Amino acid sequence: MNDIFFNDAREQFTRLLNIMNDLREKCPWDREQTMESIRHLTIEEVHELSEAILEQDDTEIKKELGDILLHVVFYSKIASETKKFDIVDVIKQLCEKLIRRHPHIYGHTQADTAETVKQNWEQIKQQEQKDKKKSVLQGVPKGLPALIKAYRMQEKAASVGFDWDTPEQVWKKVQEELCEFTQAVQKNDKTAMEKEFGDVLFSMVNYARSIGINPEDALEATNKKFRFRFEYLESQVYAQNKKLTDLTLPEMDAFWNEAKKLENNF
């Protein structure tokens, strides 16, 4: 990157910090905010960024990244007011971590594949936390959605060798869990059904991971596909001045199949 880029970045970041100072001093709303009060807003911003990425909307991605950057600066400003830390501390700590966890760039470790880099990252992270006696799973937030959480926990466990040797072994586990779920359904045991269904989902996430599929991305793609097809169905029904409840299931299926054909042409 050239000097002009760095000068522009420095100028705009300084501008942002100055605006944040003004807001905390002069705006009644910004002045009364705490880390706790804006936490839920940060979560919303992350979800909005995720949606923009899925929609491949560069304008929205840029906007949402700006909103998240605002929150990083906001938290840092709040902390600086009680001398806990400031934005310089945040950036410095991040830089040091990135250098430390990329020894193949800043050291003498060899890492020729993305998978090796990921394994090195987790191993270095575990070494950093060794003295703190934290669990391998400590870095997986408890508040994550269950599907993402399962995937991340499995990744963490695999990084220290707790993993199946082959995808075939994982698929065998999936079949075993499906069998146990089926037995619970046959007994109409609601408690067991919920437990076993959870095991099925967990094992399916593990299988997806073992063959290189991110289950969150896969499920989101299916959600998007379902939305397209169902909204097409609705549009065709409403164009006939009817309600969905006026149609039989076979009639709905006909529109659904039309949507599938349109989708395949994209």
Side-chain angles (χ1 to χ4, degrees), residues 13-232:
F13 192 66
T14 300
R15 183 185 179 200
L16 174 59
L17 295 180
N18 288 332
I19 291 172
M20 190 74 253
N21 287 340
D22 287 342
L23 296 179
R24 283 294 282 182
E25 290 175 12
K26 302 172 184 178
C27 175
W29 185 88
D30 288 280
R31 193 167 52 228
E32 72 178 21
Q33 298 312 306
T34 65
M35 288 192 182
E36 291 74 19
S37 70
I38 63 173
R39 186 184 71 88
H40 74 283
L41 299 176
T42 307
I43 295 171
E44 287 180 22
E45 297 296 354
V46 172
H47 283 289
E48 288 172 4
L49 172 61
S50 176
E51 182 175 347
I53 291 172
L54 289 171
E55 295 296 327
Q56 298 182 347
D57 187 332
D58 290 340
T59 300
E60 281 300 304
I61 291 172
K62 180 173 64 175
K63 170 183 173 294
E64 299 304 339
L65 284 172
D67 290 342
I68 290 175
L69 177 57
L70 168 62
H71 280 242
V72 172
V73 171
F74 208 156
Y75 286 116
S76 300
K77 175 61 179 175
I78 293 171
S80 72
E81 292 166 355
T82 54
K83 301 188 184 310
K84 294 176 180 177
F85 60 85
D86 58 28
I87 191 64
V88 174
D89 297 319
V90 172
I91 296 173
K92 181 180 178 182
Q93 183 169 302
L94 173 59
C95 289
E96 290 173 349
K97 181 173 73 173
L98 290 173
I99 291 171
R100 194 169 57 249
R101 295 191 185 175
H102 289 81
H104 56 291
I105 302 296
Y106 301 102
H108 304 288
T109 301
Q110 188 75 16
D112 298 324
T113 67
E115 184 61 30
T116 303
V117 172
K118 187 167 71 172
Q119 290 174 357
N120 287 344
W121 177 285
E122 291 296 341
Q123 290 170 3
I124 294 168
K125 185 174 182 179
Q126 290 305 313
Q127 187 63 37
E128 291 170 354
Q129 297 176 344
K130 189 175 181 181
D131 295 336
K132 301 176 183 178
K133 297 182 179 178
K134 289 186 176 181
S135 166
V136 170
L137 305 180
Q138 189 75 23
V140 182
K142 295 180 180 178
L144 280 178
L147 186 68
I148 301 174
K149 189 192 303 183
Y151 183 76
R152 290 295 290 134
M153 288 196 300
Q154 291 168 6
E155 273 193 325
K156 293 284 187 182
S159 72
V160 294
F162 189 75
D163 201 5
W164 299 93
D165 292 327
T166 66
E168 289 74 22
Q169 292 174 322
V170 188
W171 183 247
K172 186 176 180 181
K173 183 65 176 175
V174 171
Q175 293 175 314
E176 177 185 317
E177 297 296 352
L178 278 169
C179 182
E180 292 176 1
F181 173 65
T182 301
Q183 291 173 357
V185 171
Q186 290 171 346
K187 294 177 182 177
N188 198 29
D189 185 334
K190 298 295 184 182
T191 301
M193 285 163 60
E194 182 175 316
K195 171 183 173 295
E196 298 300 341
F197 187 72
D199 290 347
V200 170
L201 288 178
F202 193 84
S203 60
M204 282 297 297
V205 168
N206 207 16
Y207 181 68
R209 183 187 61 82
S210 75
I211 59 174
I213 293 174
N214 185 308
E216 174 69 16
D217 294 343
L219 183 57
E220 183 54 39
T222 297
N223 288 341
K224 189 175 180 179
K225 181 169 60 178
F226 181 89
R227 178 182 290 275
F228 172 82
R229 294 177 184 178
F230 194 82
E231 289 181 348
Y232 175 83

Side-chain angles (χ1 to χ4, degrees), residues 222-260:
T222 297
N223 288 341
K224 189 175 180 179
K225 181 169 60 178
F226 181 89
R227 178 182 290 275
F228 172 82
R229 294 177 184 178
F230 194 82
E231 289 181 348
Y232 175 83
L233 186 160
E234 288 179 311
S235 69
Q236 297 305 302
V237 173
Y238 298 151
Q240 298 178 9
N241 293 320
K242 293 181 180 180
K243 295 183 291 186
L244 290 175
T245 51
D246 294 334
L247 271 67
T248 64
L249 186 56
E251 289 172 326
M252 289 185 181
D253 271 341
F255 287 127
W256 183 270
N257 290 328
E258 286 180 16
K260 286 174 67 174

